[in-house]
Each structure stands twice: as structure tokens, then as C-alpha cells.
Amino acid sequence: MALLSILLAALASFALGSVWYMSLAKPWMAASGVKVGADGKPENSSSPVPYLVSFVAMLIIAATMRYGFGLAGITTPVGGLFGGLAVGALFIAPWITLNTGYSGRPWRLAGIDGGYAALGCAAMGLVLGLF
């Protein structure tokens, strides 16, 4: 059951990320400086590598959150939701903001990426709390 919960949590966050970044594609591409082709899509959009790397990262985060939730005694969907939100908003988003600041990229990028970190981890936590 542990592996299934990790897989489903990663899938939930990955799916949320696809909706998040599709809806914020233009401002994200402008803020991040991603090279765009003539079709308006990122030049690397046909490569599966970013998606595979992203999903592996989601699996690592979900497994780590599951372990941490076990230590913290988080066993409910609501606890998982708020625990995940805390991980994303209070650990990952600030780190993203640090990287954004030092790289001289627009602060809007930190808001977009940090917002996804918070919501994506909340989704993971909710799913983990269901198991």
C-alpha cells in the first residue's frame, strides 16, 4: 500500500502541475526565459526528458513526505493536505525564491513556481492522508 500511495500522490501532483503550467504557460515562459519556437511552444516540448525527470522528482518528494508524515503522526486527509501545504509553502517555495533572487529572474517566476510547489505538495499530502 505504501508504494501505491506514493505513486498516486506523485500522479496527483503531476496532474495538478500540468493544469497549473498550461494555464500559466505564457507568463511562465516569459519569466523563466524559456526559448520558444515559431509555434509558441518551448523548444524542448517534444522531448520526454523534462517530464520523466519531473515525475521522478515527484516520486522522491512523495516518498519523503510519506516518511515525514509517518514520523509526525499525520494520518488523515486534512492533516495530509495541511502538512503538504506546509512542506510546499514553507520549505520548497522559499528555496525557489532564493534561486530566483540570485539568478536575477523576475519575481513573478518565484510566484508561479512557488505557488505550484505549495499546491502540488498539498495535493500530494491529501492523497497520502487518504492511505
Side-chain angles (χ1 to χ4, degrees):
M1 193 60 96
L3 291 176
L4 179 62
S5 70
I6 291 166
L7 178 62
L8 291 176
L11 284 170
S13 184
F14 193 83
L16 178 67
S18 68
V19 172
W20 180 262
Y21 284 104
M22 281 193 291
S23 65
L24 296 169
K26 287 188 185 207
W28 179 82
M29 288 188 290
S32 66
V34 169
K35 293 182 182 179
V36 179
D39 60 359
K41 295 180 181 177
E43 288 182 355
N44 70 344
S45 65
S46 63
S47 172
V49 173
Y51 304 101
L52 292 172
V53 169
S54 175
F55 190 70
V56 168
M58 294 295 131
L59 288 170
I60 292 167
I61 295 165
T64 304
M65 283 177 54
R66 185 176 190 287
Y67 177 74
F69 284 8
L71 293 175
I74 296 172
T75 59
T76 66
V78 172
L81 176 76
F82 285 108
L85 183 62
V87 168
L90 303 176
F91 286 99
I92 300 173
W95 205 285
I96 289 169
T97 303
L98 280 169
N99 292 338
T100 300
Y102 280 110
S103 66
R105 292 190 170 177
W107 291 109
R108 184 177 206 181
L109 181 61
I112 293 169
D113 289 341
Y116 168 61
L119 294 177
C121 286
M124 274 186 193
L126 175 66
V127 172
L128 292 170
L130 290 170
F131 291 89

